[in-house]
Amino acid sequence: MKNPKRHNRSKFSKSIIFSLVFLVLGFMMAYSYSLSNSKESSGDFTGGAFFEQEERYRKELIDQQERNKTLRGEIEEKQEAVQEFEQSFSDGESKNSDYAQEAEELRRVLGLLPVEGKGLAVTLQDGEYDPESVNPNDYIVHESHIFQVINELYISGAEAISINGQRIHGNSNIVCTGPVITVDGVQHPAPFTIAAIGKTDVLAASIQLSGGVMDQLVNDNVVVTLDEGQVISMPAFLTES
């Protein structure tokens, strides 16, 4: 005869074992499901990032194509301009010759080239000092006197001007320091000879106008001498005489 207690104990032990087995299986299934979801989520993220990167590259490619199109248009315009210039150059050799002559004349006016031609020389020297005078500076040549002559000569059409052989230009700096003047850093003692290349008769007439430059210089006790019709040579203004 079987022992009921022993039979019940065996049945209880099997129940415990089956419960443990099912519990382990359930845990394994849950872990597997969680791992599968994690991989799917990771795969979705990677796919989304790849899609965004691809869209960004596509947009950059489109932008670059637009820039290339714009640059091609600019190149075509430049090529057309070059062709027009070449055409005008081939059709206008005489005009180019005129331009070259004008350019050379401009370089002469600017003092970049040495020049030679007929003109006028105006010499300024200090007046004889009067001992009864209060101020001896009233008898010496100042930069203002030189500027008066230079401005009048330029107005009268002088092509080039020099002071004591030194070529000057529109921005020359002329400063009086006692009995000498400094022209662009170079000192010159009196007397001061201002030479101008141009139409001699016109230059001389402008200097000797009644009430003009010459009369004003004489009133300031400056001795003025004119030498007309001589051939004057001048270096480029960058060359010291």
Side-chain angles (χ1 to χ4, degrees):
M1 183 176 180
K2 294 181 178 179
N3 189 345
K5 292 182 178 180
R6 183 177 182 182
H7 175 74
N8 292 334
R9 189 180 301 115
S10 176
K11 186 177 181 180
F12 179 74
S13 298
K14 290 180 179 179
S15 298
I16 293 176
I17 291 172
F18 281 126
S19 297
L20 290 174
V21 171
F22 288 137
L23 180 62
V24 172
L25 288 174
F27 176 77
M28 291 177 65
M29 291 177 66
Y31 178 77
S32 177
Y33 178 76
S34 175
L35 183 62
S36 177
N37 287 341
S38 176
K39 289 182 178 180
E40 290 178 358
S41 299
S42 176
D44 292 341
F45 176 77
T46 304
F50 178 78
F51 178 76
E52 291 178 359
Q53 187 178 27
E54 186 178 4
E55 284 296 316
R56 185 170 66 254
Y57 288 158
R58 185 179 293 107
K59 185 177 182 302
E60 290 178 357
L61 178 60
I62 293 173
D63 292 342
Q64 186 62 45
Q65 289 175 341
E66 290 295 329
R67 286 195 292 269
N68 290 342
K69 183 178 179 181
T70 301
L71 290 175
R72 282 196 298 270
E74 293 179 358
I75 290 174
E76 290 176 358
E77 292 178 359
K78 299 298 183 184
Q79 288 175 339
E80 291 178 0
V82 170
Q83 291 175 354
E84 291 177 359
F85 176 79
E86 290 176 345
Q87 185 65 33
S88 64
F89 183 81
S90 61
D91 294 340
E93 292 184 357
S94 60
K95 290 184 178 181
N96 292 330
S97 178
D98 294 339
Y99 292 152
Q101 186 175 354
E102 290 179 7
E104 184 175 358
E105 184 64 26
L106 181 59
R107 285 194 292 270
R108 269 198 206 92
V109 173
L110 294 175
L112 302 178
L113 294 176
V115 292
E116 182 178 281
K118 290 185 177 181
L120 171 73
V122 182
T123 301
L124 308 182
Q125 52 187 329
D126 299 339
E128 185 176 352
Y129 175 64
D130 184 355
E132 297 181 0
S133 175
V134 176
N135 189 355
N137 286 327
D138 292 339
Y139 292 88
I140 64 175
V141 179
H142 297 283
E143 67 263 29
S144 60
H145 299 135
I146 294 175
F147 277 123
Q148 283 180 287
V149 176
I150 291 175
N151 291 337
E152 187 65 31
L153 291 173
Y154 272 132
I155 292 172
S156 303
E159 299 173 7
I161 296 177
S162 65
I163 299 177
N164 285 8
Q166 180 181 347
R167 184 83 170 272
I168 68 170
H169 53 92
N171 294 324
S172 285
N173 183 32
I174 303 172
V175 180
C176 176
T177 307
V180 301
I181 62 169
T182 302
V183 181
D184 295 333
V186 181
Q187 287 189 343
H188 297 277
F192 309 110
T193 299
I194 304 169
I197 295 177
K199 294 182 178 180
T200 305
D201 54 344
V202 176
L203 297 176
S206 66
I207 292 294
Q208 299 178 88
L209 281 174
S210 177
V213 173
M214 190 168 185
D215 287 347
Q216 295 175 22
L217 294 173
V218 172
N219 289 337
D220 288 344
N221 302 312
V222 175
V223 179
V224 184
T225 304
L226 299 184
D227 190 358
E228 305 177 29
Q230 59 179 313
V231 177
I232 301 172
S233 298
M234 297 184 192
F237 77 85
L238 293 177
T239 303
E240 294 185 2
S241 58

